[in-house]
Amino acid sequence: MEKDLQETIRNEDFLHKVVPVEEAITWIEDGMILGVSGFTLFGEPKLFLQKLAERGEQEDFKIDLYTGASMSESADGTMVENDLIRYRLPYQGNPILRKQINLGSVSYIDQHLSQTSETLRQGVIGPIDYAVIEATAITEDGLIIPSGSVGNSPIFIEHAENVIVEVNLNLPKEYEGLHDIYIPNAQGKRSPIPITDASDRIGDIGIRVDPDKVKGIIISNKNDSPSPLFEPNETTQIIANNLLTFLEEEVKSGRLTEELAPIQSGVGSVANAVLNGMKHSQFRNVVVASEVIQDGIFDLIEAGVVKFAYATAFSLSDKRVASLKSDLAKHCNKIMLRPQEISNHPEVIRRLGIIAFNTAIEADIYGNVNSTHINGTHMMNGIGGSGDFTRNSRISIFVTPSTAKDGRISTIVPFVSHVDHTNHDVDVIVTENGYVDMRGLAPREIAEQLIENCMHPQYREQAWSYFEEAKKKSGGNTPHILQKAHAWHLHFQKNGTMLLNK
Amino acid sequence: MEKDLQETIRNEDFLHKVVPVEEAITWIEDGMILGVSGFTLFGEPKLFLQKLAERGEQEDFKIDLYTGASMSESADGTMVENDLIRYRLPYQGNPILRKQINLGSVSYIDQHLSQTSETLRQGVIGPIDYAVIEATAITEDGLIIPSGSVGNSPIFIEHAENVIVEVNLNLPKEYEGLHDIYIPNAQGKRSPIPITDASDRIGDIGIRVDPDKVKGIIISNKNDSPSPLFEPNETTQIIANNLLTFLEEEVKSGRLTEELAPIQSGVGSVANAVLNGMKHSQFRNVVVASEVIQDGIFDLIEAGVVKFAYATAFSLSDKRVASLKSDLAKHCNKIMLRPQEISNHPEVIRRLGIIAFNTAIEADIYGNVNSTHINGTHMMNGIGGSGDFTRNSRISIFVTPSTAKDGRISTIVPFVSHVDHTNHDVDVIVTENGYVDMRGLAPREIAEQLIENCMHPQYREQAWSYFEEAKKKSGGNTPHILQKAHAWHLHFQKNGTMLLNK
């Protein structure tokens, strides 16, 4: 252990700062703001958060918790159970936390994931009392080497009064060299982000920190929570095939080549089905420029389809975690992790011309997308990076099965109950029934095609009826009858189905 | 005239291409796509459009019309009256055209103004059969010098099969040298846009064109349509003061200096009142990085408040047009016109950290903004550049009087009838009653403050009643009762007022 420690914490000054976790957690006081590492369960300071959450069982205090994105059960779950969180940003995906957000007892600031850094810099949020960052190693000259995610760690460290580093001895040493840490200056004093090719290395392999800010180092050996495996089912496979057909048509038309353009892929079962489908596609030498690297990306690298992938975090299943050490060794020049400010930056996304695909909760007949709120009211997870990508991408694609709850909900509705992505930013909608390429179409043309090509057949008649009545009675660029705009949702609330004749 | 012509068209080859406008308009055939210069009434090929519109009186043909933004009466008005337009993009502001869009007889593609260029490059729209571009001059080496706007002219010329140049002999020669023409390469083959300071010159003073594409040059001497003057009234003056108070508070808090950050200002009476108010403010050496340069910007330059301004177009009243020649001579190093792709580019807006202020039609209690559709149905103008700016700005501010139609409409409502800007992208809302700084607040906190500080007092009680009922019955992150979400709009439709007890 002692030798291990010296090989991991290779800077003498830092080595002297090692303290027991029990001591470190006592530094956190009621009302403090914590910025912690971690993004989609990977790279959290797991020991620190577990112990802090446990302290909350005995003691009454609250903190504001800033992270990269969603956190593990032991972070968001246990901390919320012990009533520790006052403000939470910029994203979450935990059922226990979600419940408290929807009860109004936790204040949730749902941010575009590229923008947390800007609001910190501007002094709109923060300053951070403690940044708590998991590290794979600390180098001779004091660079903090992150672990399975970069997320907001660099900006949290920059804007923290104090830093606690959780050095995890149980991580693959191959993480070192994988990260590319670049922090823009303040707005107005900033150079262009110098990425012109997705694989450009522009920063350091670790995070620079003022040693005086490092109050303590704790030692852990906890594993990341693996991500669930989303196996494709029949519907998600058909959706994936439809999406791949769209991309093939783009190649046929000459608008794309078989290298496509760099792709961003959300997480979940459809995304996995798409990645799976790409293995047997015509596409070659594809670049991934995304938020997370899932199992499927490793599969595509091994299949020779993907030639390079960057993201801000891993999101891997047990199986891939087991082989991660050797996978990283094998593919170290094909994979890179960047801060989420960079992976999700409008400048980079627009310049590279990324193809984004994300999942919709519902879309309306004019192509506006809801990806966060059930019935316009209850938060699911958050907007995450979907806004960063869709609005700046070359092609913005949303996938969704055309129905939910065994057909009782249509995901294509007259009027979405909440808007996260306006139809200006939605190019293609894909369901198991087909796809609509909305680019270059006027809203009424979009409606006709979405009803015919994407909507489930059993809902088409009532959709046509709404659309025809709206055109006749209201007219307009996006004809609506406000009295009936949410009739489908209300019918579901009352009768358990959106089918109006049931 | 002959001498004038040779001094204006300084390239021999181009001089030989002069044709009568009557000939040029016959080149346009049914079904063609035209990309014409012009943005907010300035810089249109006025003679060509007038003659083409007149041809439509006699003849049956339709075109797709691509522009920079809104066009003059003789363009959008007369052409629509003569039923010449099939597709229209990316923006309009004409009552005759608006009517046909809302009747569904013109297909309107309402685009973010920075994105028309990308869709052309990608082959999603176009190719353009004829680009028709107004010019102040053609240089010895064949550069086309634009006039009072740049707009989409460079990209239209790049993606046109044929080009017609309308050389206007009646324009100030001082336009030459004012423009900075920079065209990014295709996505994926593009360098960073090298603007790090708003005043950086990065391109040419004119537009390069393949001489073989120039089919003809026509000569005109028509003046631009001046923009209406929006005189501040009592309400707009109070709104402007509230906005200036917010900015002063930002300076006091240390988040901004008295130089502010580069500002983008929409057009209209509130925008004018703000610019007017800035004359007597503490702000100094302010930079304007906007879409249009209005009268007020010239006033602020002369008052020593603004040190540099760029935009993609002028939008000036009669009075300022009269002095434009001498104003341009005086301020030539303080003013620049860029392509709208650059003035509105996410990369540049985010890098410079622009403060955006735009006008809302309505906002909801959670801060979502509608800036285009009346009753979710009828298009007013279009999203224009408001999306480009708000979503990438440092601070995104929306202004609106709290009521319309003599108080019978509340512009703050429970649920907007259409969403153009989600609350992720709206930072501050200002009415004559006050302002709310939404940054760092959770949705329920935003609702409380918007009702108390921005909403008109006579609507507050019914707003509280909705909000309290929604919290109780629905709960959620953004509590709503879908049955009643649009009740205010419906009450207005039925009773001519949003006051539910009337």
Side-chain angles (χ1 to χ4, degrees), chain A residues 351-365:
Chain A
R351 185 180 304 143
L352 298 181
I354 288 172
I355 300 173
F357 53 98
N358 289 288
T359 305
I361 289 178
E362 59 179 2
D364 70 27
I365 55 172

Side-chain angles (χ1 to χ4, degrees), chain A residues 87 102 110 112 114 118 122 187-188 347 350-351 373 376-378 391 424-425 445 474-478, chain B residues 87 102 110 112 114 118 122 187-188 255 347 350-351 373 376-378 391 424-425 445 474-478:
Chain A
Y87 278 84
N102 285 319
D110 173 34
H112 296 298
S114 80
E118 303 285 19
Q122 292 159 6
Q187 286 170 313
E347 175 174 337
R350 179 89 170 241
R351 185 180 304 143
H373 283 75
T377 295
H378 291 95
R391 53 176 56 177
H424 304 94
D425 305 314
E445 297 167 325
S474 307
N477 185 54
T478 52
Chain B
Y87 277 84
N102 285 319
D110 173 36
H112 297 299
S114 80
E118 303 285 18
Q122 291 160 6
Q187 286 171 311
R255 282 195 286 264
E347 175 174 337
R350 178 87 170 243
R351 186 182 303 144
H373 283 75
T377 294
H378 291 96
R391 54 177 55 178
H424 304 94
D425 305 314
E445 297 167 324
S474 308
N477 186 54
T478 54

Side-chain angles (χ1 to χ4, degrees), chain A residues 227-302:
Chain A
S227 304
L229 245 190
F230 299 97
E231 291 292 346
N233 60 32
E234 199 190 337
T235 306
T236 58
Q237 198 56 60
I238 300 173
I239 297 173
N241 292 345
N242 288 341
L243 192 155
L244 292 168
T245 302
F246 162 75
L247 291 175
E248 282 158 11
E249 291 295 325
E250 286 296 288
V251 174
K252 267 190 215 154
S253 74
R255 284 196 286 264
L256 290 173
T257 68
E258 63 171 24
E259 295 192 6
L260 297 176
I263 60 169
Q264 173 256 333
S265 154
V267 289
S269 50
V270 179
N272 271 23
V274 171
L275 296 177
N276 198 42
M278 283 184 70
K279 267 193 282 189
H280 316 289
S281 70
Q282 61 173 289
F283 309 125
R284 286 295 169 270
N285 294 319
V286 174
V287 165
V288 173
S290 195
E291 210 172 80
V292 293
I293 292 177
Q294 311 95 312
D295 288 23
I297 305 292
F298 276 103
D299 296 344
L300 288 174
I301 289 175
E302 286 163 3

Side-chain angles (χ1 to χ4, degrees), chain A residues 360-370 411-419 421-423 426 429 438 443 446-447 450-451 454-455 466 478 480 485-486 489, chain B residues 376 417-419:
Chain A
I361 289 178
E362 59 179 2
D364 70 27
I365 55 172
Y366 301 114
N368 300 289
V369 164
N370 171 12
T411 59
I412 316 286
V413 293
F415 196 115
V416 279
S417 62
H418 180 91
V419 177
H421 309 290
T422 78
N423 60 2
V426 180
I429 292 182
M438 298 162 46
I446 292 169
L450 277 177
I451 295 172
C454 283
M455 191 174 264
Y466 176 84
T478 52
H480 272 304
H486 292 135
H489 299 83
Chain B
S417 62
H418 180 90
V419 176

Side-chain angles (χ1 to χ4, degrees), chain A residues 166-376:
Chain A
E166 176 167 324
V167 172
N168 187 333
L169 301 177
N170 211 25
L171 298 170
K173 297 296 168 213
E174 288 72 13
Y175 272 148
E176 191 169 335
L178 189 77
H179 309 92
D180 185 40
I181 309 300
Y182 177 93
I183 311 180
N185 286 333
Q187 286 170 313
K189 296 171 181 165
R190 182 179 289 182
S191 304
I193 299 168
I195 298 175
T196 54
D197 182 279
S199 64
D200 287 338
R201 172 167 280 284
I202 62 171
D204 297 319
I205 61 161
I207 308 170
R208 294 188 186 282
V209 56
D210 172 1
D212 293 343
K213 293 212 291 197
V214 180
K215 182 136 182 202
I217 290 173
I218 60 175
I219 309 298
S220 111
N221 53 11
K222 295 179 90 68
N223 291 326
D224 289 306
S225 318
S227 304
L229 245 190
F230 299 97
E231 291 292 346
N233 60 32
E234 199 190 337
T235 306
T236 58
Q237 198 56 60
I238 300 173
I239 297 173
N241 292 345
N242 288 341
L243 192 155
L244 292 168
T245 302
F246 162 75
L247 291 175
E248 282 158 11
E249 291 295 325
E250 286 296 288
V251 174
K252 267 190 215 154
S253 74
R255 284 196 286 264
L256 290 173
T257 68
E258 63 171 24
E259 295 192 6
L260 297 176
I263 60 169
Q264 173 256 333
S265 154
V267 289
S269 50
V270 179
N272 271 23
V274 171
L275 296 177
N276 198 42
M278 283 184 70
K279 267 193 282 189
H280 316 289
S281 70
Q282 61 173 289
F283 309 125
R284 286 295 169 270
N285 294 319
V286 174
V287 165
V288 173
S290 195
E291 210 172 80
V292 293
I293 292 177
Q294 311 95 312
D295 288 23
I297 305 292
F298 276 103
D299 296 344
L300 288 174
I301 289 175
E302 286 163 3
V305 175
V306 163
K307 68 172 179 180
F308 184 84
Y310 76 70
T312 194
F314 289 119
S315 177
L316 302 172
S317 73
D318 261 336
K319 185 174 142 259
R320 271 292 167 188
V321 168
S323 65
L324 188 57
K325 195 176 165 67
S326 65
D327 287 346
L328 289 177
K330 237 182 329 190
H331 307 305
C332 61
N333 58 347
K334 291 185 178 164
I335 286 178
M336 195 184 275
L337 294 184
R338 303 184 185 277
Q340 69 192 76
E341 175 170 21
I342 303 298
S343 63
N344 288 27
H345 204 291
E347 175 174 337
V348 179
I349 295 167
R350 179 89 170 241
R351 185 180 304 143
L352 298 181
I354 288 172
I355 300 173
F357 53 98
N358 289 288
T359 305
I361 289 178
E362 59 179 2
D364 70 27
I365 55 172
Y366 301 114
N368 300 289
V369 164
N370 171 12
S371 51
T372 55
H373 283 75
I374 306 293
N375 280 322

